[in-house]
Amino acid sequence: MMMTQTTKITNPAIDVTDLTVAYHEKPVLWDVDFQAPQDTLLAIVGPNGAGKSTLIKTILGLLKPAAGRIQVFGKNYRPQSRLIGYVPQKGTVDWDFPTNVLDVVLMGRYGHLGWFRRPKVEDRKMAVDCLEKVGMADFMNRQISQLSGGQQQRVFIARALIQDAPIYLMDEPFAGVDAATERSIITLLRELKDKGKTIICVHHDLQTLKEYFEWVMLLNVRAVALGKVTDILTQENLRKTYGGKAAFLTGLKEEEEKGHASA
Amino acid sequence: MLLLNTIAEFFQNYTIQIVFTGSLILGITAGCLGTFAVLRQQSLLGDAIAHATLPGVCLAFLITQTKNPFVLLLGAGISGWIASLFLKLIVENTKLKKDAALGIILSVFFGLGLLLITIVQKLPTATKAGLDKFIFGNAATLLKQDVMMMSAFSIFIFLVLIVFWKEFKILVFDRDYAASQGMPVHFFDVFLTTLIVIAIVIGLQTVGVVLMSAMLVAPAAAARQWTDRLGVMLFLSALFGAISGTFGAITSSMVSNLPTGPTIVIFLSIFVLVSLVFAPNRGLLWDWIRSYRNRKTILTTTMLQNLLLFSEIQTDPFHPHDISALKAIGRGAIDKTMKELSRKGWAQQFEDKRWALTPKGLDKARKLTKEYEETISGFSSA
């Protein structure tokens, strides 16, 4: 199956070629090509089990691919180069761990600090700055077990911000957060993009896709389509991605038709 | 003074000194590493490794025919370490779940160990090999050279923990994130497990393979109850381990035929029990008090609001009302709640058993209602 790609990408931030990843012989990603242009907001969209998190983790070097090549800014990627800030799904850690918010954010500096070295005053200052950006500065001494889901997410984003990387990979940053937090997160992501950062999010909500993101990759084990949201988000592509389960997308279909009528 | 003298005399006893020092070192070391094991949700890892050291002890004896503790413990360490590697391989490469893998490793290695120990005991050359002390532990048989070896290992462990503090912390809290920053997580996995193996080996002669994991898990579990800081938890865990270790070891060496492992576990369980029940915030007692208070607040608030509704029927807000209708809804708690309201001066009962708000109660009820409405509107606007 050929992937639909509408726009040619030059100098991509991330360039994935022929990537195959398998767990116990079962392919999770099959021959995936994926390019993320620089300085954009890109969403990875697909049904459960489509391999979205796997794609992110493989790019980060957390999973070994069975085949394929991953390049970041034209070079083979190693996590030590610290070009990518990572926001994992917030459910992947034990929030009852005995530590506070500031400490978690400081973990984002560990890569810069190198071995043996402890965070210094400047690192703490940076951590407070990053907490301010996500509106969590008042919570810096709070136990992490006392945070709500939205607050946990913002702490994780602050921890990625302190890495000050040119690329951010975020696994479902909007999952389980309230509407107000979602607004503040998307505002923050747009600011990052305006500063020339590349932000790639696993995203689930097709309703907000057009509003939040410029670029989208549709994924279901294979890469289905990649391009500007306005070009890619068609009924046809969604059916290819979600299979027969696309019936719930009628709202989008009407919009699409309206779009055609006005064009 | 007499007591102090007795204690001083007590500690002049050479055996007691050795037992005390050995169990102190063991308690502190196991307490420190147990913190990481418990937080990694690998409490049972220690149990599996401890049991898996037994075949190593027996094989070391069978091969070298010596009782040299260094040789035996080296065997223990190697076999425990191999077991931990098998465990990692099974979990990462098969579909078996962690608990099943732990169960398999523990029982296979321990079974092999028991088999070998029977063979050892049947050897004519080894009638007094004394390997059975490795099962339940015997602090009284500790020698000075054992304690020296234990100290060397535990100093190594402390140095490593100080140097790699932040690495271990992030490894335990968020392994994937650590890897995404380029940290060699597989190396640190094996490293941390190796330290746990060393801590277990340190404790084998004193506590024995069967109960060694309690030395790791119990102090850390108790310490977690009292604090929300990793450093403090580590310190408390070491302290609890040290106290239980020394008390248990000394008690067992003063009573003949009392195995050390089980005695230490008794002291450990006192710490765990007290911590589970009485620790502020996380303790059960605290939980009960909190839910009792919450219930009381909810009941008084509801009652106050009901009285406010009643008071709005008449022009005089302090006109007394019959509350028997409310009793049907609120069941037995109503009488108690009304008493609480009058104690606070928010409501008063008249001689005809009817109730009315006091001016103070009216203010409070109005304030509560307003707050409640604000919360509701806050939710809907968000």
Side-chain angles (χ1 to χ4, degrees):
Chain A
M1 182 170 72
M2 269 306 291
M3 179 179 63
T4 317
Q5 184 167 343
T6 48
T7 319
K8 194 96 190 100
I9 300 165
T10 45
N11 295 327
I14 293 178
D15 189 355
V16 172
T17 327
D18 299 334
L19 184 72
T20 295
V21 181
Y23 286 124
H24 302 300
E25 289 148 36
K26 186 181 162 242
V28 189
L29 291 174
W30 188 256
D31 205 15
V32 168
D33 287 337
F34 167 59
Q35 274 134 23
Q38 291 192 32
D39 147 31
T40 41
L41 268 169
L42 185 149
I44 300 174
V45 173
N48 292 330
K52 304 181 294 290
S53 297
T54 306
L55 177 60
I56 281 193
K57 286 183 177 174
T58 314
I59 293 172
L60 282 163
L62 306 182
L63 296 172
K64 272 212 175 74
R69 194 189 63 177
I70 297 160
Q71 292 199 318
V72 173
F73 294 124
K75 285 185 188 139
N76 288 337
Y77 185 66
R78 292 173 70 236
Q80 286 83 350
S81 64
R82 303 197 301 268
L83 292 171
I84 306 180
Y86 177 38
V87 178
Q89 285 184 29
K90 62 184 192 297
T92 53
V93 303
D94 173 17
W95 287 94
D96 198 34
F97 189 83
T99 193
N100 63 21
V101 167
L102 190 71
D103 245 13
V104 172
V105 178
L106 278 171
M107 287 178 185
R109 289 292 296 167
Y110 285 10
H112 295 253
L113 285 169
W115 294 25
F116 318 127
R117 295 217 178 78
R118 299 282 163 93
K120 291 191 225 41
V121 185
E122 305 99 84
D123 299 306
R124 278 169 199 283
K125 248 196 199 145
M126 288 176 78
V128 176
D129 283 350
C130 291
L131 280 170
E132 234 148 49
K133 281 182 199 149
V134 297
M136 288 287 293
D138 294 341
F139 294 84
M140 57 185 262
N141 291 316
R142 185 71 65 95
Q143 279 313 305
I144 59 169
S145 57
Q146 291 165 12
L147 301 177
S148 70
Q151 291 168 340
Q152 292 172 349
Q153 193 66 66
R154 284 187 279 166
V155 170
F156 264 9
I157 292 174
R159 183 178 68 169
L161 289 182
I162 204 175
Q163 288 181 256
D164 193 26
I167 303 170
Y168 288 99
L169 294 185
M170 307 193 176
D171 204 343
E172 301 193 25
F174 302 111
V177 305
D178 62 29
T181 309
E182 184 162 330
R183 288 270 144 213
S184 67
I185 292 176
I186 193 64
T187 311
L188 188 76
L189 298 190
R190 283 182 183 138
E191 281 169 25
L192 286 174
K193 190 227 141 212
D194 290 342
K195 280 185 202 153
K197 312 267 187 191
T198 304
I199 299 122
I200 298 162
C201 298
V202 171
H203 192 59
H204 264 307
D205 185 4
L206 292 170
Q207 308 301 323
T208 53
L209 191 62
K210 251 184 194 159
E211 187 194 336
Y212 290 175
F213 295 94
E214 298 160 83
W215 282 69
V216 64
M217 180 211 201
L218 296 177
L219 180 72
N220 189 357
V221 184
R222 293 157 190 270
V224 177
L226 174 73
K228 293 247 167 80
V229 176
T230 40
D231 303 333
I232 291 298
L233 205 60
T234 62
Q235 197 65 20
E236 162 84 18
N237 278 336
L238 286 172
R239 199 168 39 246
K240 274 192 213 159
T241 315
Y242 286 87
K245 290 170 280 181
F248 63 95
L249 303 165
T250 43
L252 280 163
K253 195 181 174 190
E254 283 160 21
E255 234 177 79
E256 193 186 314
E257 276 163 3
K258 250 188 276 165
H260 278 298
S262 64
Chain B
M1 269 328 277
L2 190 72
L3 183 72
L4 280 179
N5 278 338
T6 324
I7 292 175
E9 250 169 59
F10 180 72
F11 276 102
Q12 269 157 22
N13 180 316
Y14 183 73
T15 318
I16 296 290
Q17 280 174 6
I18 294 289
V19 169
F20 178 82
T21 322
S23 51
L24 182 74
I25 292 167
L26 162 66
I28 294 174
T29 318
C32 286
L33 282 174
T35 302
F36 289 103
V38 165
L39 290 176
R40 282 195 104 183
Q41 294 163 14
Q42 286 189 333
S43 300
L44 288 173
L45 175 75
D47 205 23
I49 293 176
H51 280 78
T53 56
L54 191 60
V57 173
C58 299
L59 278 177
F61 177 79
L62 284 172
I63 294 166
T64 64
Q65 297 285 328
T66 70
K67 279 199 292 177
N68 181 336
F70 185 77
V71 174
L72 297 186
L73 291 184
L74 187 69
I78 292 173
S79 120
W81 197 67
I82 290 175
S84 76
L85 284 190
F86 270 134
L87 204 61
K88 196 171 151 73
L89 282 175
I90 293 178
V91 172
E92 284 173 8
N93 296 303
T94 73
K95 287 186 176 178
L96 274 186
K97 295 281 177 292
K98 224 181 219 169
D99 60 331
L102 281 165
I104 291 166
I105 292 291
L106 185 149
S107 46
V108 168
F109 274 76
F110 190 54
L112 187 68
L114 288 177
L115 189 82
L116 289 171
I117 216 167
T118 325
I119 295 172
V120 168
Q121 274 159 349
K122 280 184 181 154
L123 287 177
T125 51
T127 40
K128 294 234 163 159
L131 292 195
D132 46 335
K133 78 174 175 203
F134 283 97
I135 296 180
F136 285 116
N138 190 347
T141 61
L142 279 180
L143 300 172
K144 193 177 168 190
Q145 73 224 47
D146 300 334
V147 175
M148 303 279 278
M149 190 169 66
M150 290 164 78
S151 323
F153 278 132
S154 65
I155 287 169
F156 169 71
I157 289 178
F158 289 137
L159 287 179
V160 168
L161 285 185
I162 290 169
V163 169
F164 294 110
W165 177 253
K166 76 177 197 306
E167 279 76 13
F168 284 134
K169 185 175 178 176
I170 193 172
L171 180 79
V172 174
F173 177 64
D174 197 345
R175 191 176 176 277
D176 272 359
Y177 184 72
S180 83
Q181 290 198 69
M183 194 175 117
V185 285
H186 283 285
F187 168 76
F188 277 103
D189 273 343
V190 176
F191 196 23
L192 188 56
T193 309
T194 308
L195 295 185
I196 292 176
V197 172
I198 295 175
I200 287 169
V201 166
I202 287 179
L204 280 188
Q205 287 182 87
T206 319
V207 186
V209 299
V210 177
L211 293 171
M212 185 53 215
S213 69
M215 271 324 282
L216 288 167
V217 177
R224 180 68 189 93
Q225 291 290 103
W226 300 93
T227 176
D228 278 323
R229 305 279 315 161
L230 182 61
V232 181
M233 180 181 168
L234 192 92
F235 172 78
L236 284 179
S237 180
L239 182 74
F240 295 164
I243 295 174
S244 331
T246 49
F247 277 46
I250 288 182
T251 312
S252 84
S253 47
M254 282 165 37
V255 181
S256 67
N257 282 330
L258 187 62
T260 313
T263 321
I264 291 180
V265 167
I266 300 287
F267 284 101
L268 281 173
S269 28
I270 296 171
F271 276 105
V272 172
L273 258 177
V274 170
S275 306
L276 283 180
V277 177
F278 295 106
N281 286 322
R282 298 176 78 94
L284 287 172
L285 189 69
W286 200 266
D287 249 12
W288 292 328
I289 293 173
R290 207 163 20 205
S291 64
Y292 173 76
R293 278 196 192 141
N294 278 346
R295 204 176 120 79
K296 210 160 110 177
T297 317
I298 291 168
L299 284 172
T300 46
T301 314
T302 325
M303 205 42 150
L304 210 54
Q305 279 169 342
N306 283 331
L307 288 177
L308 182 69
L309 287 179
F310 275 144
S311 76
E312 281 160 359
I313 300 170
Q314 243 114 12
T315 42
D316 171 20
F318 309 117
H319 185 85
H321 292 275
D322 183 8
I323 61 159
S324 52
L326 296 177
K327 283 194 183 177
I329 315 162
R331 304 213 186 93
I334 292 287
D335 288 331
K336 250 185 169 170
T337 312
M338 294 312 292
K339 246 182 229 156
E340 174 68 18
L341 284 179
S342 72
R343 198 179 61 78
K344 284 192 163 149
W346 290 345
Q348 54 180 325
Q349 190 173 29
F350 289 82
E351 276 162 20
D352 56 1
K353 302 256 171 189
R354 293 194 297 174
W355 284 85
L357 285 171
T358 61
K360 204 173 138 197
L362 184 67
D363 278 354
K364 181 77 189 167
R366 283 185 175 149
K367 218 176 110 200
L368 282 173
T369 312
K370 209 177 138 218
E371 274 170 19
Y372 175 72
E373 277 163 3
E374 274 166 8
T375 323
I376 295 291
S377 67
F379 273 128
S380 55
S381 74

